[in-house]
Short mmCIF file of all heavy atoms in Angstrom, two decimals:
data_model
loop_
_atom_site.label_atom_id
_atom_site.label_comp_id
_atom_site.label_asym_id
_atom_site.label_seq_id
_atom_site.Cartn_x
_atom_site.Cartn_y
_atom_site.Cartn_z
N TYR G 18 24.78 -4.20 4.52
CA TYR G 18 24.59 -5.24 5.60
C TYR G 18 25.55 -6.30 5.60
O TYR G 18 25.68 -7.00 6.57
CB TYR G 18 23.17 -5.72 5.38
CG TYR G 18 22.05 -4.75 5.48
CD1 TYR G 18 21.37 -4.31 4.31
CD2 TYR G 18 21.68 -4.17 6.64
CE1 TYR G 18 20.36 -3.42 4.33
CE2 TYR G 18 20.66 -3.23 6.73
CZ TYR G 18 20.05 -2.86 5.60
OH TYR G 18 18.99 -1.91 5.68
N PHE G 19 26.21 -6.52 4.45
CA PHE G 19 27.13 -7.72 4.44
C PHE G 19 28.54 -7.48 4.11
O PHE G 19 29.40 -8.38 4.33
CB PHE G 19 26.54 -8.73 3.32
CG PHE G 19 25.28 -9.29 3.83
CD1 PHE G 19 24.06 -8.86 3.40
CD2 PHE G 19 25.25 -10.32 4.72
CE1 PHE G 19 22.84 -9.35 3.81
CE2 PHE G 19 24.04 -10.93 5.22
CZ PHE G 19 22.82 -10.39 4.72
N ALA G 20 28.90 -6.31 3.60
CA ALA G 20 30.36 -6.07 3.20
C ALA G 20 31.12 -5.67 4.49
O ALA G 20 30.64 -5.09 5.33
CB ALA G 20 30.44 -5.01 2.19
N LEU G 21 32.42 -6.10 4.41
CA LEU G 21 33.27 -5.81 5.54
C LEU G 21 33.78 -4.39 5.62
O LEU G 21 33.94 -3.85 6.69
CB LEU G 21 34.52 -6.80 5.46
CG LEU G 21 35.56 -6.68 6.56
CD1 LEU G 21 35.02 -6.97 7.96
CD2 LEU G 21 36.74 -7.60 6.27
N GLY G 22 34.15 -3.76 4.45
CA GLY G 22 34.81 -2.55 4.51
C GLY G 22 33.94 -1.28 4.45
O GLY G 22 34.38 -0.18 4.26
N VAL G 23 32.63 -1.46 4.63
CA VAL G 23 31.74 -0.26 4.59
C VAL G 23 31.95 0.62 5.84
O VAL G 23 31.97 0.11 6.99
CB VAL G 23 30.25 -0.69 4.53
CG1 VAL G 23 29.31 0.51 4.60
CG2 VAL G 23 30.04 -1.54 3.33
N LYS G 24 32.17 1.90 5.50
CA LYS G 24 32.39 2.86 6.65
C LYS G 24 31.45 3.94 6.72
O LYS G 24 30.80 4.30 5.66
CB LYS G 24 33.80 3.41 6.50
CG LYS G 24 34.99 2.44 6.58
CD LYS G 24 36.35 3.11 6.41
CE LYS G 24 37.44 2.00 6.50
NZ LYS G 24 38.73 2.72 6.26
N GLY G 25 31.04 4.41 7.88
CA GLY G 25 30.18 5.56 8.03
C GLY G 25 28.71 5.18 8.02
O GLY G 25 27.91 6.10 7.92
N GLY G 26 28.41 3.89 8.02
CA GLY G 26 27.01 3.45 8.02
C GLY G 26 26.31 3.60 9.41
O GLY G 26 26.97 3.88 10.34
N ALA G 27 25.02 3.46 9.31
CA ALA G 27 24.23 3.56 10.60
C ALA G 27 24.43 2.37 11.44
O ALA G 27 24.24 2.41 12.63
CB ALA G 27 22.79 3.76 10.28
N PHE G 28 24.88 1.21 10.82
CA PHE G 28 25.03 -0.04 11.54
C PHE G 28 26.42 -0.59 11.36
O PHE G 28 27.12 -0.25 10.42
CB PHE G 28 23.94 -1.07 11.05
CG PHE G 28 22.59 -0.51 11.02
CD1 PHE G 28 21.89 -0.56 9.84
CD2 PHE G 28 22.01 0.00 12.17
CE1 PHE G 28 20.60 -0.07 9.78
CE2 PHE G 28 20.68 0.46 12.07
CZ PHE G 28 20.00 0.45 10.88
N PRO G 29 26.90 -1.50 12.25
CA PRO G 29 28.20 -2.14 12.05
C PRO G 29 28.23 -2.88 10.79
O PRO G 29 27.27 -3.45 10.29
CB PRO G 29 28.28 -3.04 13.24
CG PRO G 29 27.24 -2.55 14.24
CD PRO G 29 26.18 -1.95 13.50
N PRO G 30 29.49 -2.91 10.11
CA PRO G 30 29.62 -3.65 8.90
C PRO G 30 29.27 -5.15 9.16
O PRO G 30 29.59 -5.67 10.27
CB PRO G 30 31.10 -3.51 8.54
CG PRO G 30 31.42 -2.16 9.18
CD PRO G 30 30.63 -2.10 10.44
N ARG G 31 28.67 -5.87 8.20
CA ARG G 31 28.29 -7.18 8.32
C ARG G 31 27.12 -7.47 9.30
O ARG G 31 26.96 -8.61 9.70
CB ARG G 31 29.53 -8.07 8.64
CG ARG G 31 30.66 -7.98 7.72
CD ARG G 31 31.86 -8.89 8.08
NE ARG G 31 31.54 -10.26 7.86
CZ ARG G 31 31.38 -11.18 8.84
NH1 ARG G 31 31.40 -10.76 10.09
NH2 ARG G 31 31.13 -12.44 8.59
N SER G 32 26.38 -6.43 9.68
CA SER G 32 25.28 -6.64 10.59
C SER G 32 24.23 -7.57 10.01
O SER G 32 23.45 -8.12 10.79
CB SER G 32 24.74 -5.28 11.00
OG SER G 32 24.22 -4.58 9.87
N GLY G 33 24.13 -7.70 8.73
CA GLY G 33 23.22 -8.62 8.09
C GLY G 33 23.45 -10.12 8.56
O GLY G 33 22.45 -10.85 8.67
N TYR G 34 24.71 -10.51 8.76
CA TYR G 34 24.94 -11.80 9.21
C TYR G 34 24.36 -12.00 10.63
O TYR G 34 23.70 -13.02 10.97
CB TYR G 34 26.45 -12.10 9.32
CG TYR G 34 27.13 -12.20 7.99
CD1 TYR G 34 27.69 -11.11 7.33
CD2 TYR G 34 27.24 -13.44 7.34
CE1 TYR G 34 28.31 -11.17 6.10
CE2 TYR G 34 27.91 -13.62 6.10
CZ TYR G 34 28.43 -12.47 5.54
OH TYR G 34 28.96 -12.57 4.31
N TYR G 35 24.43 -11.02 11.47
CA TYR G 35 23.92 -11.04 12.84
C TYR G 35 22.37 -11.18 12.76
O TYR G 35 21.78 -12.06 13.43
CB TYR G 35 24.35 -9.87 13.64
CG TYR G 35 23.64 -9.76 14.96
CD1 TYR G 35 24.02 -10.59 16.00
CD2 TYR G 35 22.63 -8.83 15.14
CE1 TYR G 35 23.35 -10.47 17.21
CE2 TYR G 35 22.02 -8.67 16.40
CZ TYR G 35 22.33 -9.52 17.42
OH TYR G 35 21.73 -9.38 18.60
N ILE G 36 21.73 -10.30 12.05
CA ILE G 36 20.25 -10.35 11.98
C ILE G 36 19.78 -11.54 11.27
O ILE G 36 18.78 -12.24 11.70
CB ILE G 36 19.75 -9.07 11.22
CG1 ILE G 36 19.95 -7.85 12.18
CG2 ILE G 36 18.24 -9.21 10.88
CD1 ILE G 36 19.08 -7.84 13.44
N GLY G 37 20.49 -11.97 10.25
CA GLY G 37 20.09 -13.21 9.56
C GLY G 37 20.20 -14.39 10.49
O GLY G 37 19.30 -15.35 10.44
N ALA G 38 21.22 -14.44 11.33
CA ALA G 38 21.28 -15.57 12.32
C ALA G 38 20.19 -15.48 13.25
O ALA G 38 19.67 -16.59 13.65
CB ALA G 38 22.65 -15.50 12.97
N LEU G 39 19.71 -14.37 13.73
CA LEU G 39 18.61 -14.22 14.67
C LEU G 39 17.35 -14.81 13.96
O LEU G 39 16.55 -15.44 14.62
CB LEU G 39 18.41 -12.82 15.12
CG LEU G 39 19.49 -12.23 15.98
CD1 LEU G 39 19.04 -10.76 16.51
CD2 LEU G 39 19.75 -13.11 17.20
N VAL G 40 17.16 -14.51 12.71
CA VAL G 40 16.02 -14.97 11.98
C VAL G 40 16.08 -16.52 11.93
O VAL G 40 15.09 -17.15 12.19
CB VAL G 40 15.94 -14.41 10.50
CG1 VAL G 40 14.95 -15.19 9.68
CG2 VAL G 40 15.64 -12.89 10.59
N ALA G 41 17.25 -17.09 11.63
CA ALA G 41 17.39 -18.54 11.57
C ALA G 41 17.12 -19.15 12.90
O ALA G 41 16.46 -20.21 13.07
CB ALA G 41 18.74 -18.90 11.06
N ASP G 42 17.69 -18.57 14.00
CA ASP G 42 17.36 -19.03 15.36
C ASP G 42 15.89 -19.06 15.63
O ASP G 42 15.33 -20.01 16.22
CB ASP G 42 18.00 -18.11 16.43
CG ASP G 42 19.54 -18.12 16.38
OD1 ASP G 42 20.16 -19.01 15.74
OD2 ASP G 42 20.13 -17.16 16.95
N ASP G 43 15.19 -18.06 15.28
CA ASP G 43 13.76 -17.94 15.47
C ASP G 43 13.00 -19.01 14.77
O ASP G 43 12.17 -19.70 15.30
CB ASP G 43 13.29 -16.54 14.97
CG ASP G 43 11.78 -16.28 15.15
OD1 ASP G 43 11.25 -16.83 16.16
OD2 ASP G 43 11.24 -15.61 14.28
N LEU G 44 13.29 -19.21 13.42
CA LEU G 44 12.57 -20.14 12.69
C LEU G 44 12.95 -21.63 13.01
O LEU G 44 12.16 -22.57 12.83
CB LEU G 44 12.74 -19.91 11.20
CG LEU G 44 12.31 -18.57 10.66
CD1 LEU G 44 12.56 -18.40 9.11
CD2 LEU G 44 10.86 -18.32 10.96
N ALA G 45 14.14 -21.77 13.55
CA ALA G 45 14.59 -23.15 13.98
C ALA G 45 13.90 -23.63 15.22
O ALA G 45 13.94 -24.84 15.57
CB ALA G 45 16.08 -23.12 14.22
N ARG G 46 13.11 -22.78 15.88
CA ARG G 46 12.31 -23.24 17.04
C ARG G 46 11.30 -24.30 16.73
O ARG G 46 10.93 -25.09 17.49
CB ARG G 46 11.64 -22.06 17.76
CG ARG G 46 12.60 -20.97 18.20
CD ARG G 46 11.83 -19.78 18.76
NE ARG G 46 12.62 -18.59 18.92
CZ ARG G 46 13.40 -18.37 20.03
NH1 ARG G 46 13.48 -19.28 20.93
NH2 ARG G 46 14.19 -17.26 20.09
N THR G 47 10.81 -24.21 15.44
CA THR G 47 9.75 -25.09 15.01
C THR G 47 10.04 -25.96 13.79
O THR G 47 9.21 -26.66 13.25
CB THR G 47 8.44 -24.26 14.77
OG1 THR G 47 8.75 -23.29 13.70
CG2 THR G 47 7.90 -23.63 16.03
N ARG G 48 11.28 -25.85 13.36
CA ARG G 48 11.70 -26.61 12.16
C ARG G 48 13.08 -27.11 12.27
O ARG G 48 13.93 -26.57 12.90
CB ARG G 48 11.64 -25.63 10.90
CG ARG G 48 10.25 -25.16 10.52
CD ARG G 48 10.29 -24.00 9.54
NE ARG G 48 8.93 -23.56 9.22
CZ ARG G 48 8.26 -22.63 9.90
NH1 ARG G 48 8.84 -22.12 11.06
NH2 ARG G 48 7.03 -22.25 9.61
N THR G 49 13.31 -28.23 11.69
CA THR G 49 14.66 -28.85 11.63
C THR G 49 15.56 -28.15 10.67
O THR G 49 15.07 -27.47 9.71
CB THR G 49 14.64 -30.31 11.31
OG1 THR G 49 14.21 -30.48 9.95
CG2 THR G 49 13.65 -31.09 12.23
N PRO G 50 16.89 -28.28 10.72
CA PRO G 50 17.79 -27.70 9.68
C PRO G 50 17.39 -28.15 8.29
O PRO G 50 17.48 -27.38 7.37
CB PRO G 50 19.20 -28.17 10.18
CG PRO G 50 19.04 -28.33 11.59
CD PRO G 50 17.62 -28.82 11.86
N ASP G 51 17.09 -29.46 8.09
CA ASP G 51 16.68 -29.92 6.80
C ASP G 51 15.45 -29.28 6.28
O ASP G 51 15.38 -28.91 5.10
CB ASP G 51 16.46 -31.48 6.81
CG ASP G 51 17.83 -32.31 6.73
OD1 ASP G 51 18.60 -31.98 5.81
OD2 ASP G 51 18.07 -33.13 7.57
N GLN G 52 14.48 -29.07 7.17
CA GLN G 52 13.22 -28.43 6.76
C GLN G 52 13.54 -26.91 6.38
O GLN G 52 12.96 -26.41 5.39
CB GLN G 52 12.17 -28.52 7.87
CG GLN G 52 11.68 -29.89 8.09
CD GLN G 52 10.85 -30.01 9.31
OE1 GLN G 52 10.98 -29.30 10.25
NE2 GLN G 52 9.87 -30.94 9.29
N LEU G 53 14.35 -26.28 7.17
CA LEU G 53 14.69 -24.93 6.80
C LEU G 53 15.43 -24.77 5.49
O LEU G 53 15.13 -23.92 4.67
CB LEU G 53 15.55 -24.34 7.93
CG LEU G 53 14.90 -24.13 9.34
CD1 LEU G 53 15.92 -23.74 10.32
CD2 LEU G 53 13.80 -23.07 9.26
N ALA G 54 16.31 -25.71 5.25
CA ALA G 54 17.20 -25.67 4.05
C ALA G 54 16.27 -25.85 2.75
O ALA G 54 16.52 -25.38 1.74
CB ALA G 54 18.19 -26.72 4.06
N ALA G 55 15.14 -26.66 2.98
CA ALA G 55 14.29 -27.02 1.81
C ALA G 55 13.14 -26.02 1.59
O ALA G 55 12.39 -26.22 0.66
CB ALA G 55 13.73 -28.44 2.10
N LEU G 56 13.06 -24.99 2.38
CA LEU G 56 12.00 -23.99 2.21
C LEU G 56 12.10 -23.40 0.82
O LEU G 56 13.12 -22.91 0.41
CB LEU G 56 12.06 -22.84 3.22
CG LEU G 56 11.71 -23.24 4.70
CD1 LEU G 56 12.04 -22.03 5.55
CD2 LEU G 56 10.21 -23.57 4.76
N PRO G 57 10.98 -23.39 0.05
CA PRO G 57 11.05 -22.72 -1.27
C PRO G 57 11.10 -21.26 -1.15
O PRO G 57 10.79 -20.69 -0.05
CB PRO G 57 9.74 -23.21 -1.89
CG PRO G 57 8.87 -23.53 -0.70
CD PRO G 57 9.69 -24.02 0.35
N ASP G 58 11.34 -20.55 -2.28
CA ASP G 58 11.60 -19.13 -2.22
C ASP G 58 10.44 -18.34 -1.61
O ASP G 58 10.61 -17.51 -0.65
CB ASP G 58 11.80 -18.63 -3.67
CG ASP G 58 12.03 -17.17 -3.73
OD1 ASP G 58 13.19 -16.75 -3.53
OD2 ASP G 58 11.12 -16.40 -3.97
N ARG G 59 9.21 -18.55 -2.08
CA ARG G 59 8.09 -17.76 -1.60
C ARG G 59 7.80 -17.98 -0.06
O ARG G 59 7.54 -17.00 0.69
CB ARG G 59 6.81 -18.08 -2.40
CG ARG G 59 5.64 -17.19 -2.06
CD ARG G 59 4.50 -17.32 -3.00
NE ARG G 59 4.79 -17.03 -4.39
CZ ARG G 59 4.06 -17.07 -5.45
NH1 ARG G 59 2.80 -17.49 -5.33
NH2 ARG G 59 4.44 -16.68 -6.60
N GLU G 60 7.82 -19.18 0.35
CA GLU G 60 7.58 -19.46 1.81
C GLU G 60 8.72 -18.87 2.64
O GLU G 60 8.47 -18.34 3.71
CB GLU G 60 7.49 -21.00 2.00
CG GLU G 60 7.07 -21.34 3.44
CD GLU G 60 6.90 -22.78 3.67
OE1 GLU G 60 7.03 -23.56 2.63
OE2 GLU G 60 6.71 -23.22 4.79
N ALA G 61 9.99 -19.04 2.19
CA ALA G 61 11.06 -18.46 2.94
C ALA G 61 10.99 -16.96 3.11
O ALA G 61 11.21 -16.37 4.12
CB ALA G 61 12.45 -18.88 2.34
#
């Protein structure tokens, strides 16, 4: 999901960055960047 040089996979290389950004966009609807950064492991 994150390496640049992966070939032959089902998804584009680095697709984890794209999906991770969508997750952050989603959670940012109700939380500030500081609140998101401070989320503890289990809650995140």
Side-chain angles (χ1 to χ4, degrees):
Y18 300 104
F19 291 98
L21 178 62
V23 175
K24 297 180 180 179
F28 310 123
R31 301 180 71 252
S32 58
Y34 289 91
Y35 171 73
I36 289 296
L39 291 186
V40 169
D42 294 343
D43 179 36
L44 299 182
R46 299 177 195 277
T47 56
R48 295 168 181 83
T49 67
D51 277 308
Q52 289 171 333
L53 292 171
L56 288 172
D58 182 83
R59 185 171 297 181
E60 185 177 357

